[in-house]
Amino acid sequence: MYAKPEKQILSLKSDNDFNRVYRMYFARCLRFAAKCTGSREDAENLVQDVFLFLWENRQTIVFHSSFNLWVFKVLKNKCIDFMRRKIAAEMGKKRLQDNFMIEFEARLKSLELFDDDLVSDDEQLSAAINKAIDSLPEQCRKIFIMSKIEGKKYDRIASELGLTRQTVANQMSIALKKLREQLKDYAPLLIFAGIF
């Protein structure tokens, strides 16, 4: 009958033990991490993290099973965490880039379609702005006027109207969205004027 081998107990209490383990495992850990991450620099950082943990805990850590298995599991989990964070960051960047491109293209289209004759017709522009502002819900209108026309900060508006700053910010967001929709033909001019 086959007898199970006794579990290996490895201690790193001495610097010599740590140095020996470092020399034996660093290169293979680095190859593994580099293959997983596709980057030698990232792999070096991950492997250094593993060995830093070992160094900081060398006086107390004891391995009751294969060190080879332990270091592989720890490094594998670090690689997984790193790759998940990297994917999430890249997806976040892509979403920002996609949103930027959508907004940028909309601005370009708006500029291309903008009728230069509207610039010279101040009365028409003023009438359109007043009509759009008047169409806002009462609280939105009041907050928009206090912010954009009277130049008051959100905190002061909130204090004067007995609202929270967040409510003021939300109402301004609603007001600007509605005004952008109604005044889309004048958007480039209004952006230039600092209204949007």
Side-chain angles (χ1 to χ4, degrees), residues 79-92:
C79 287
I80 289 169
D81 290 345
F82 168 81
M83 291 166 76
R84 283 180 178 154
R85 284 194 309 271
K86 186 122 180 163
I87 288 168
E90 290 303 316
M91 286 174 70

Side-chain angles (χ1 to χ4, degrees), residues 154-167:
Y154 285 7
D155 289 329
R156 183 167 172 199
I157 296 169
S159 173
E160 287 183 20
L161 297 179
L163 303 170
T164 66
R165 188 184 191 287
Q166 188 59 50
T167 301

Side-chain angles (χ1 to χ4, degrees), residues 69-131:
L69 180 62
W70 180 88
V71 78
F72 170 76
K73 281 184 176 177
V74 170
L75 186 55
K76 180 190 83 166
N77 289 334
K78 281 204 169 288
C79 287
I80 289 169
D81 290 345
F82 168 81
M83 291 166 76
R84 283 180 178 154
R85 284 194 309 271
K86 186 122 180 163
I87 288 168
E90 290 303 316
M91 286 174 70
K93 277 189 211 168
K94 185 178 181 328
R95 276 194 295 272
L96 283 175
Q97 287 171 344
D98 290 347
N99 289 342
F100 172 79
M101 285 309 295
I102 290 166
E103 187 174 334
F104 191 80
E105 286 170 2
R107 287 181 182 180
L108 174 61
K109 190 105 176 131
S110 181
L111 271 174
E112 289 171 345
L113 297 173
F114 183 63
D115 183 357
D116 294 337
D117 293 337
L118 293 174
V119 176
S120 61
D121 194 350
D122 286 343
E123 284 184 29
Q124 186 181 350
L125 177 60
S126 294
I129 291 171
N130 288 333
K131 183 179 176 189

Side-chain angles (χ1 to χ4, degrees), residues 8-30 47 50-55 58 61 63 65-72:
Q8 172 192 9
I9 297 177
L10 175 67
S11 171
L12 300 176
K13 288 192 193 301
S14 77
D15 290 354
N16 285 340
D17 290 337
F18 178 84
N19 290 337
R20 181 172 50 83
V21 166
Y22 184 87
R23 283 192 307 273
M24 282 175 60
Y25 286 94
F26 185 84
R28 75 176 82 164
C29 287
L30 185 59
V47 174
V50 171
F51 281 97
L52 179 62
F53 173 81
L54 279 173
W55 175 257
R58 69 191 181 285
I61 198 166
F63 303 94
S65 61
S66 161
F67 177 79
N68 193 54
L69 180 62
W70 180 88
V71 78
F72 170 76

Side-chain angles (χ1 to χ4, degrees), residues 144-154 156-157:
F144 179 82
I145 290 169
M146 291 173 82
S147 174
K148 291 293 184 179
I149 297 171
E150 296 173 13
K152 295 179 180 176
K153 303 283 185 202
Y154 285 7
R156 183 167 172 199
I157 296 169

